[in-house]
Amino acid sequence: MSKVDIKSIAKALNLSKSTVSRAFQSNSDINANTRSRILAYANEVNYRPNHYASNLREQKSKTIAVVVPELENNYFTQIIKGAEQIAKEAGYHTLVYATDDNVCKEREFVTSISNGKVDGVLMSVVGEGHDHSYLFNIDLVKMPIVFFDRLYDDVAIPGITTDDYQSSFEATEHLIQEGCKSIAFLVIDKDHSIGKERCMGYTDALKKHQLPVREELIVNCSNSYTENFVIITDLLTTDKPDAVFASVERLAFSTYYVCNHLGVSIPDQVKVVAFSSLQIAELLSPPLSTIVQPAEQIGREAARLLLKNLKNPNLTPSTDQIVLKSELKIRKSSQG
Amino acid sequence: MSKVDIKSIAKALNLSKSTVSRAFQSNSDINANTRSRILAYANEVNYRPNHYASNLREQKSKTIAVVVPELENNYFTQIIKGAEQIAKEAGYHTLVYATDDNVCKEREFVTSISNGKVDGVLMSVVGEGHDHSYLFNIDLVKMPIVFFDRLYDDVAIPGITTDDYQSSFEATEHLIQEGCKSIAFLVIDKDHSIGKERCMGYTDALKKHQLPVREELIVNCSNSYTENFVIITDLLTTDKPDAVFASVERLAFSTYYVCNHLGVSIPDQVKVVAFSSLQIAELLSPPLSTIVQPAEQIGREAARLLLKNLKNPNLTPSTDQIVLKSELKIRKSSQG
DNA sequence: TTGTATGCGTTATCAA
DNA sequence: TTGATAACGCATACAA
């Protein structure tokens, strides 16, 4: 199969390159017959435009990147799904990248794509604790970014988040109303971003109901299942809380494993609520009470916002912050 | 921020474009001092090579596509994760595309990227029933493809699959040994590809143990949860099987929902086994017996095979078929 | 070791 | 309506 490009088509049909090129443009001055002749032949020889060349020429790639901390989490894959759907509708492709919660990988990737690999980026950042000054070197007009889920609030970049404080507050209040007096809060990083917001919702709810905020019940966990198993086992045997509020899905799973292992009954001895977008939460033993973030919608909104910025390349990109509502789904794990 | 490219750097340093270009190539004749001077300045002005241009020039994009039927399935996201990992290590980016089990979308996407958008493709195809002749128009030397999970066996394209027949046979045998006499088999499409293999494993196991193969127990399901709910409710109330073997994860979830709804006890009244890569299968109520496919490994192997083909662009791509082993994890849902 | 010139495949400007 | 030509930014063959 020899190379088929605009030039070869032109030669075969005894036309010029420009005429052939025009046949593929929608609003171009070209004779209808010539066009259909070209299209017919192009179809016959199975012509596909060369992306390298048109991208170079047009200075856009019709591709967006979606950067997530991890892929093995329903929450993020639902977001990707939503984003991919909107992107697809607008004729964009989607590049997916997992940072493995590593800010170096984040920086390296975003920097490497910042000159033409993609037209824009959707990103859930690694975390505020780290140095993210690399973002100041990115030309955000050339490659707009939209944050979702987590964000850096010292950069003027639009973002989609959820009402973390409010839903955390409600979930805690729910546990209090179920009679819980010592509620543990499991978090990855209580001092930053999402963890911080969620932690504040938790403590404020305690305060409102005159319950003490006990530092030992605010437990910093890690990303490792084995480490968390130890941490949570320790928590349940030492401090014996009557409820566990997991600020991240994974920590709820670990709590279930530990409870199974220790023979601790959920919800009789410990009630559990978690931030989670797991679709089969109801099938767990016992069904898990969840705060469900509208993951797909987050992805869709983020993509829409990005595409909007992509449409107006000359304007300073909007820096809207959109906050979506999560939903508390009360199930057996936190009741009775 | 004015445009920073090789030309502007060259002008600033009083060098020629080619010298500057050389500074970024690893094995190029260039004075060490000149190089470091260029790199220093490039770093200062935050230079990034333009992907459009170098791709066009080098005829490669350093990007692979991963095409999956759906994203909301742990199995496929684990595969993506494995593939992305290998791709990343080799300096490749990963484009993800969901076909929504629609062969038109599959064709459209693969065709649209077949001239330079990506260097190669990993793909789990929509299904054998459909017309996939478009693949014959793809130049597989220019853009190699590797199948995983599902494949078309009338095209000479390498693939990674699992031992579907064997593990299906074993799972069925396990149910028989647990005393089941009427085992239902839930499948999406029993006549093709994966469904076919798995169905044969099931029927052969029945035959080996002198159990009748009853057509009404081989149930074609759909991709819709609501439709499946009706189908499975009907199955459980009419035919009253003593076991359900779900050839796809989703169908096991539906079975759980239906059993909960009907008050049918798993495993006492119905035992359940399923193909599933769900990591928290153990936390379900009851813990679900699964046939676990090595999803991440599939992704890794597929990516490795593709990268191997990408290394030898002149050779006819290898057409290896690699078969990986799945593992039967027996849990409470199929015991006692 | 460095500079000059050319081409990758496409689109856009201008002239015919 | 069509054709000739330049340009997008980079990398290489060849010349100096």
Side-chain angles (χ1 to χ4, degrees):
Chain A
M1 210 181 307
S2 77
K3 192 175 48 192
V4 36
D5 54 12
I6 282 196
K7 197 162 114 193
S8 74
I9 296 180
K11 189 171 350 177
L13 296 179
N14 232 333
L15 292 165
S16 75
K17 286 194 304 176
S18 22
T19 309
V20 176
S21 175
R22 269 188 278 258
F24 301 108
Q25 310 306 96
S26 45
N27 43 2
S28 192
D29 289 337
I30 185 174
N31 180 293
N33 289 331
T34 330
R35 163 174 277 151
S36 52
R37 199 159 60 96
I38 294 173
L39 293 183
Y41 181 77
N43 189 45
E44 191 182 320
V45 295
N46 205 29
Y47 166 75
R48 305 290 157 212
N50 181 304
H51 289 273
Y52 313 128
S54 34
N55 288 350
L56 173 60
R57 182 61 225 229
E58 303 196 40
Q59 303 289 359
K60 53 186 156 69
S61 61
K62 281 289 205 173
T63 305
I64 63 170
V66 181
V67 181
V68 296
E70 49 172 349
L71 240 21
E72 49 280 89
N73 183 325
N74 250 266
Y75 175 58
F76 291 117
T77 54
Q78 284 175 54
I79 289 177
I80 293 174
K81 187 190 169 200
E84 207 247 356
Q85 180 196 324
I86 298 300
K88 193 186 293 183
E89 285 170 15
Y92 280 75
H93 289 154
T94 308
L95 202 61
V96 168
Y97 190 86
T99 59
D100 304 324
D101 258 312
N102 178 330
V103 76
C104 294
K105 291 190 185 174
E106 174 185 309
R107 168 169 38 75
E108 217 170 299
F109 178 73
V110 174
T111 305
S112 83
I113 58 173
S114 69
N115 200 347
K117 180 81 189 186
V118 304
D119 296 339
V121 177
L122 304 182
M123 163 152 85
S124 174
V125 304
V126 162
E128 280 182 6
H130 305 88
D131 172 31
H132 51 272
S133 55
Y134 75 91
L135 280 174
F136 297 113
N137 291 328
I138 303 290
D139 183 345
L140 295 173
V141 175
K142 225 174 141 192
M143 184 181 78
I145 298 182
V146 169
F147 287 148
F148 60 84
D149 187 58
R150 312 191 221 161
L151 41 80
Y152 297 127
D153 47 21
D154 57 349
V155 259
I157 287 182
I160 317 282
T161 50
T162 51
D163 55 343
D164 287 302
Y165 173 87
Q166 183 58 27
S167 44
S168 201
F169 187 96
E170 281 171 24
T172 309
E173 209 162 31
H174 156 65
L175 288 170
I176 294 170
Q177 279 154 3
E178 288 291 330
C180 299
K181 301 262 181 266
S182 62
I183 302 169
F185 182 75
L186 307 185
V187 64
I188 299 291
D189 180 354
K190 74 172 160 52
D191 295 320
H192 288 121
S193 191
I194 274 190
K196 190 171 159 191
E197 287 293 313
R198 292 179 183 178
C199 193
M200 278 173 51
Y202 157 80
T203 55
D204 283 1
L206 293 183
K207 287 175 192 158
K208 174 179 167 196
H209 292 268
Q210 281 91 40
L211 285 173
V213 175
R214 292 162 52 193
E215 278 305 322
E216 72 274 21
L217 290 183
I218 300 178
V219 182
N220 265 316
C221 298
S222 86
N223 284 318
S224 138
Y225 262 103
T226 47
E227 282 178 34
N228 289 336
F229 194 91
V230 175
I231 294 172
I232 296 170
T233 300
D234 188 53
L235 169 73
L236 292 187
T237 51
T238 308
D239 296 296
K240 296 194 194 313
D242 53 18
V244 170
F245 179 13
S247 71
V248 168
E249 177 180 89
R250 191 180 336 125
L251 299 176
F253 295 157
S254 291
T255 303
Y256 268 54
Y257 281 115
V258 170
C259 286
N260 285 351
H261 185 247
L262 294 179
V264 170
S265 157
I266 307 172
D268 299 336
Q269 296 169 268
V270 175
K271 301 201 186 346
V272 180
V273 174
F275 275 88
S276 164
S277 296
L278 184 71
Q279 279 150 333
I280 53 164
E282 194 184 325
L283 296 184
L284 295 190
S285 172
L288 172 65
S289 294
T290 52
I291 298 166
V292 184
Q293 297 172 273
E296 270 194 52
Q297 195 192 348
I298 294 174
R300 285 196 299 268
E301 295 295 339
R304 285 202 192 99
L305 191 49
L306 181 64
L307 291 173
K308 200 179 81 182
N309 283 342
L310 252 29
K311 295 275 181 237
N312 314 349
N314 299 320
L315 265 60
T316 307
S318 92
T319 56
D320 307 352
Q321 299 293 333
I322 298 179
V323 178
L324 300 178
K325 276 198 68 60
S326 302
E327 188 188 1
L328 176 62
K329 282 273 202 186
I330 296 171
R331 297 197 183 86
K332 190 117 172 275
S333 72
S334 65
Q335 277 184 310
Chain B
M1 209 182 308
S2 78
K3 192 174 48 191
V4 36
D5 55 11
I6 281 194
K7 197 161 115 193
S8 73
I9 295 181
K11 191 174 342 180
L13 297 179
N14 232 334
L15 291 165
S16 76
K17 286 193 303 176
S18 36
T19 307
V20 176
S21 176
R22 271 188 276 260
F24 301 106
Q25 309 308 96
S26 44
N27 43 3
S28 194
D29 289 336
I30 184 174
N31 181 291
N33 289 331
T34 340
R35 163 173 276 151
S36 51
R37 199 159 60 96
I38 294 172
L39 293 183
Y41 180 78
N43 188 46
E44 190 182 320
V45 296
N46 205 29
Y47 167 75
R48 305 290 156 211
N50 181 305
H51 288 272
Y52 313 128
S54 36
N55 288 350
L56 174 60
R57 179 61 225 231
E58 302 199 39
Q59 301 290 3
K60 53 187 157 68
S61 61
K62 282 290 205 172
T63 304
I64 64 171
V66 181
V67 181
V68 296
E70 48 173 349
L71 241 20
E72 50 280 271
N73 183 325
N74 251 266
Y75 175 58
F76 290 117
T77 54
Q78 285 175 52
I79 288 177
I80 292 174
K81 187 191 170 202
E84 207 247 355
Q85 181 195 324
I86 298 300
K88 193 186 292 182
E89 284 170 16
Y92 281 76
H93 289 156
T94 309
L95 201 62
V96 168
Y97 189 86
T99 60
D100 305 324
D101 258 311
N102 178 329
V103 76
C104 295
K105 292 190 185 173
E106 173 185 309
R107 168 169 38 75
E108 217 169 300
F109 177 72
V110 174
T111 305
S112 82
I113 58 173
S114 69
N115 200 347
K117 181 82 190 188
V118 303
D119 296 339
V121 177
L122 304 182
M123 162 153 86
S124 174
V125 304
V126 163
E128 281 182 2
H130 305 90
D131 172 31
H132 51 271
S133 54
Y134 76 90
L135 280 174
F136 297 113
N137 290 329
I138 303 290
D139 183 344
L140 295 174
V141 174
K142 226 174 140 190
M143 184 181 78
I145 298 181
V146 169
F147 287 149
F148 60 83
D149 187 58
R150 313 189 219 163
L151 41 79
Y152 297 128
D153 48 20
D154 57 348
V155 258
I157 287 181
I160 317 282
T161 50
T162 50
D163 55 342
D164 288 303
Y165 173 87
Q166 184 56 29
S167 45
S168 201
F169 188 96
E170 281 170 26
T172 309
E173 209 162 30
H174 156 66
L175 288 170
I176 294 170
Q177 278 154 6
E178 288 290 330
C180 300
K181 301 262 180 265
S182 63
I183 301 169
F185 182 75
L186 307 185
V187 64
I188 299 291
D189 180 355
K190 73 172 160 51
D191 295 321
H192 289 121
S193 192
I194 274 191
K196 191 172 158 191
E197 288 293 312
R198 293 180 181 176
C199 194
M200 278 174 51
Y202 157 80
T203 55
D204 283 1
L206 292 182
K207 286 175 192 159
K208 175 180 167 194
H209 292 268
Q210 280 89 41
L211 285 173
V213 174
R214 293 163 52 192
E215 277 305 322
E216 71 273 21
L217 290 183
I218 300 177
V219 182
N220 265 315
C221 298
S222 85
N223 284 319
S224 138
Y225 263 102
T226 47
E227 282 178 35
N228 289 337
F229 195 92
V230 175
I231 293 172
I232 295 170
T233 300
D234 188 54
L235 170 73
L236 291 186
T237 50
T238 309
D239 297 296
K240 296 196 196 309
D242 53 18
V244 169
F245 179 13
S247 70
V248 168
E249 176 179 88
R250 189 179 339 122
L251 299 176
F253 295 157
S254 290
T255 304
Y256 269 53
Y257 282 115
V258 170
C259 284
N260 285 351
H261 185 247
L262 295 178
V264 169
S265 156
I266 306 172
D268 298 337
Q269 296 169 267
V270 175
K271 302 201 185 344
V272 178
V273 175
F275 275 89
S276 164
S277 296
L278 184 70
Q279 279 149 334
I280 54 164
E282 194 184 325
L283 297 183
L284 296 190
S285 171
L288 173 65
S289 295
T290 53
I291 298 166
V292 184
Q293 297 173 270
E296 271 194 53
Q297 195 191 349
I298 294 174
R300 285 196 300 267
E301 294 295 339
R304 285 202 190 98
L305 191 49
L306 180 63
L307 291 173
K308 200 180 81 181
N309 283 343
L310 252 28
K311 295 276 180 236
N312 314 349
N314 299 319
L315 266 60
T316 308
S318 92
T319 56
D320 306 354
Q321 300 292 332
I322 299 180
V323 178
L324 300 178
K325 275 198 69 62
S326 303
E327 187 188 1
L328 177 61
K329 283 272 203 187
I330 297 171
R331 297 196 184 87
K332 188 116 174 275
S333 72
S334 65
Q335 277 185 309

